Structures are given as C-alpha cells and as structure tokens.
Amino acid sequence: MQREELMAETYPVLQSAESHALIDKAKYEKWYKESVENPDKFWGKHGKRIEWFKPYTKVKNTSFTGKVSIKWFEDGQTNVSYNCIDRHLENHADRVAIIWEGDDPSLDRKITYRELHEHVCRFANVLKKYGVKKGDRVTIYMPMVPEAAYAMLACTRIGAVHSVVFGGFSPDALGGRIVDCESTFVITCDEGLRGGKSVPLKANVDKAIDIAARHHVHVKSVLVVRRTGTDVGWASGRDFWYHDEAGTVAADCPPEPMNAEDPLFILYTSGSTGKPKGVLHTTGGYLVYVSMTHQYVFDYHDGDIYWCTADVGWVTGHSYIVYGPLANRATTLMFEGVPNYPDQGRFWDVIDKHKVDIFYTAPTAIRALMGAGDDFVKRSSRSSLRLLGSVGEPINPEAWEWYYNVVGDARCPIVDTWWQTETGGHMIAPLPGATDLKPGAATTPFFGVKPQLVDNEGKVLEGAADGNLVIADSWPGQMRTVYGDHERFIQTYFSTYKGKYFTGDGCRRDEDGYYWITGRVDDVLNVSGHRLGTAEVESALVSHSLVSEAAVVGFPHSIKGQGIYCYVTLMAGHEGTDTLRQELVKHVRAEIGPIASPDKIQFTPGLPKTRSGKIMRRILRKIAEDDFGALGDTSTLADPAVVDDLIANRQNKE
Ligand code: 6R9
C-alpha cells in the first residue's frame, strides 16, 4: 500500500482489547467532557488514586498569563516513594516490582516490592548519612541497573530533588548540568555496559566534577555502585562505594511528607535556543498524572508485565519505567542492553523470556529492526503480548504497519503516544478499547488535555486544519518552571501564543478530529527519538579552534528520523578535508555525546545570510533535504552567490 492509503486506513478498536479494556468509547466521551468542562471535579476525584498523608481541599489553581503559575492539589501532602512502594506492601509485598534484564542475556534479576522497599530505604539512609537534605539536588548518572531506580526513589523518599543525566552524555554535558542546579552529590556506577561495550561513567564523573569546580560548584560526595568491577580513579573522602555503605545504615527510612507542589525532579532538555533547560516537575500532580496515563493508555491490568525500552535518563524512563508503573503496582522491566545485541532479535526474545504483556518502544528502534528482516521476529512467539506502544517521534505508517502486523500479529493495538519532557505524561494517545487507530496518528487527547491548532498569528483554527500545536489549559503533569529561570519558562512556552502553552510541534487535525504530529516547527532536532537543539551542536562546532562559524539543520533519515547536517565555515587559511571532518565529528561527540554525532559536514566559504546578518535556515534545510529546486525567495540574501556554492558542494548526493 502507498503511504497515503495507509494513512487513510482505520483499524477499528480490536475485539481482544475491547472485551476487557478499562475504557470504552462511551466512557471516553463522558470522562473527557467532564475533564475539560469541570477539571476541579474530575481531578478532584482522580487525584485520590494516590494516597495523601494530608488530603487536598484545593484542586486546580493555574494561570497561563502574566507570571504564569501552575499549582495542583496545592494544600495536599504525600510522598512519591511511599506511593510507589509502601502502600503496596500490605497485600502485594511478594509481587515482582522490577525485572532487570542484563546486557548479557544470561543475566537477570527480579526485585519484589518488599525488596524494593529495603533497597530504597537503605539508599535513602546512605544519602542522609552524607548530609543530603530535603530540597538538595542530587545528580544521578547511571546505566540501566535497578540501583538507578533505587537512587531516584531514595531521593523522593527524603525530599531531595534528583537530576538524572543520560549515561550517554559527555563529561562536559554532565558538568554543565551539575553546575546549573548546583548539585553537590553525584550517584554513578564504575562503568555501564551496553551491547558488550563498557561506558566509563565514573571516569566521566571525575572529569565533570573538575569542570563544575571551574564554575565554582564543588561536588562533595560521589556514591558509586559497582557494576563491572573495573578499577576506577578514587578521591578518598569524596568517593564512596554503595556496597560498603548500604550495610552500615538501617533498612527502614520513614518517607518525608512532601507538599504537592514541592519539587520532585529536574530533567534537562534541549530547546530551540541556548543551553538545555532544567524542566522542573513537582510531587502531587505529576504522580497522579503519570499513574493515570500509565493505567489507561496502556490499559494496564493488575498483574501485567510491562516493558518500556527507554533509558531512565529521559522523561519516558522517569514517567513510564519508574513512577507511573510502580505507582500502579506494576511489574516493570528494566533493560540494560541495546536492541541489536547479541543480535537483532533481542527485544522479541526478552518478550518471550519474561512473558511481556505490554511493550513500549520508539519508532527509530522499530525501523532499525524492520530493516533486519522478519526472521528475527518470527523465531519468537510473542504470544504474551497484548499491547504495543510508540513514543519519541512521529511513527511513519510503514513502520506502524510492520509493528502491527509482524510484531503484534495483527492482534495488539498500537498506542502512539505524543507527549514531551515538559508535559510529564501522555497528552495525545489512543485508549485501547475506546479509540479506533490510524497508522501514524497520535489520535485523540487524554483526559484533561485541551489541544488547539493555531496559525502563525495565533488565530485558532477549527475543524480539519494544519497548524502549530498549543494546549489551552493546564493538566496536573505539566512542568512548573525552568529550574532557576522562571522568566525563561514564560518566554519559551507562553509568549509565542499568549495564554497558551506552545509545544513547538506542528500538527494536522483530520475530519475525525484525530491529531497527526508533523514534527518540530522550531530549531529542535529529533535524532533517534532524542531531542537536540541545533544551537547546542553549533556551539560545540564553533568551540573547535579551526571553526569560525557553523549552522546545523536536520534532514530526513530513514532510521534515525532526522539526521544532523552541519554547514561549517573554517578560519581563514584552513582547508576542509576528510580528516578534519572526522575530527569535528569526534569533537562534537566529546562535547555533547555520541547522540549528537554529525551525519554530514559541508565546508562552505560562507553561510546564506540576510542583510541584517540572520542565517536563512530555510535555505539550509532545503539543501540538506536535497530539495533545492524549491528554495523560495532568496532575494533578501546579502550574497545570493553563496547558494550556488552550497548546492554545488552539498554532501547528500547519492
Ligand atoms: C516523550 C518524549 C518531545 C518531542 C515532541 C515531539 C516528539 C514525542 C511523539 C512525538 C510524534 C509522537 N514526539 N512523541 N512526535 N509522535 N508519538 O519524547 O519527550 O524527549 O521531550 O521529546 O518529541 O516533537 O515535541 P521529549
């Protein structure tokens, strides 16, 4: 089938899902209506899905104008780790909370809720022993091991605010994040292990601490979890082994009562300008929202085995490996490895091994595994699977079809979940049993979410339309501020379209009211489902001594979704060679991390600029897309000849 035909296809709600799904069409309509017409009543009711030490009397107190203030359940008190662990102990202490599947297929572990309680309490007591207090920021730089979840939950237990930094980020990127939130306590591993290769996490932390010290932030303690047992550098008095410490503290730690609006975590994410922003989420609303979306979007039934393949370093790992599933007493699978190790059938083997019911991954992985051929899938039975999920970028209809027919044997609905670090949880996604599916559409909004499409002037578009996606009112999982810079929060999200939260995404709404996300409309790249600011890559490039100027744009990439195309102007007298290209790739990887590796580097004597000196990115994008027949108006260029040179020397020729 052609792409357009696929996109016009409707997959009615599946019988298998419908027969026992939590939400049906009528219930969705009714609940949705109430949720947007009377949010106080709706969330007042559903806020009770978590346990409160002190019940809230106020529900919603939010404003998207002026100083922008977002408060939910503001006079309630609760604790996240209590909700994710303690409250399940009375009747379900022996249920497996975490299944850990190692990089090496012969390694796995099962941790029950009872064991999770002890691990998290000990972890929390070690933090306390080293002086970590409520409100302190703790940086977590860990691979996918259960201790990463223990560390996060331990912070929430004592009211410390965690900042998890993805283990693939460089020492520079880690150092910058330590500085931004002035964090003086770091938790890491000796090394990580992915696809049989080790990642020098502790060594990176050592470098990051030196970088932070140059910016006057002094890390006092580093708690190190042993994973591979390799020798690592050691600063005595500063560095401590977790396995030495855990035995010295009590196995119980009372959960700290937290106000609903107390900070829970900071997570850095890329924007269209400047350095990454510290997205701040708070306690009560976040937990209500992630647990509710986890239950209804994944149609989670008690006892299901649930697997999200994300890394805890991203928001998907926070909300849908750790907090949502554990709040719902789920069994959540944590996978240390990669999809193609030992071979391309690993995901499907793991599904059979642990009898996974619900599987949630990213389009980039689906496309890569689709390219490996069906045999890797077909050698597994996948008979335990009931539901598939997708997240991180638009899923192309071809990949959707393959996921549906080959992986899901045309039995499992696919929930394509659109959301962001900023939104905390799912915003637009089908509900199994309630929503007919269309390949490539994120479909309809979750309860309480009011999407709108606006044109560039901010006019609200009705009916079937194409525009910029905004959200007209607050929902409990929304970020509350940019850590340490509320003005930037207002500027970034609420100033483009007054009084509305601007997502940065383009979107089409069809005749059935379905939402189709078309990708970012700002200078944010989405490479293999990872967010990257073009400005970050540009600043990494110009920090090389031979680079005078750089402009970075995305281009369509068959596996990664988007690839990174860099236009580079060198310092006078230097020649662009292949060796220099390789050196620049290495340089960017060292500055940011491997996820930011440039795919193409084009050396150019100049960049296309307007007379006022603004780089015309539209032109650069077109050339990178190999679509230079349609460059549009180039009359405002200061030097139109630049364009001919750019086209002649483009790097995307077959
Ligand atoms: C959860 C997450 C957010 C950006 C978002 C959008 C893209 C995420 C998507 C999707 C189309 C989906 N995105 N899910 N686009 N369909 N189902 O990925 O958060 O890393 O902050 O990225 O990712 O462009 O704006 P984050």
Side-chain angles (χ1 to χ4, degrees), residues 269 314-316 390-395 416-422 428 442 503-505 517-520 526 529-531:
T269 194
W314 309 112
V315 73
T316 308
S390 172
V391 61
E393 48 174 319
I395 179 164
D416 176 1
T417 61
W418 174 83
W419 60 294
Q420 311 177 295
T421 305
E422 293 88 337
I428 302 182
T503 65
D505 279 310
I517 309 296
T518 51
R520 301 289 302 199
N526 193 327
H530 301 318
R531 255 169 93 164

Side-chain angles (χ1 to χ4, degrees), residues 16 31 73 88 115 146 151 158 166 200 254 263 309 318 335 384 404 407 411 418 432 443-444 469-470 478 531 556 653:
S16 62
W31 283 27
F73 313 110
H88 310 320
E115 291 163 340
I158 64 172
F166 173 56
T309 69
H318 283 59
F335 176 46
S384 58
Y404 184 84
V407 176
R411 315 180 272 111
W418 174 83
T443 74
T444 48
L469 179 62
V470 299
Q478 183 171 26
R531 255 169 93 164
K653 288 171 275 196

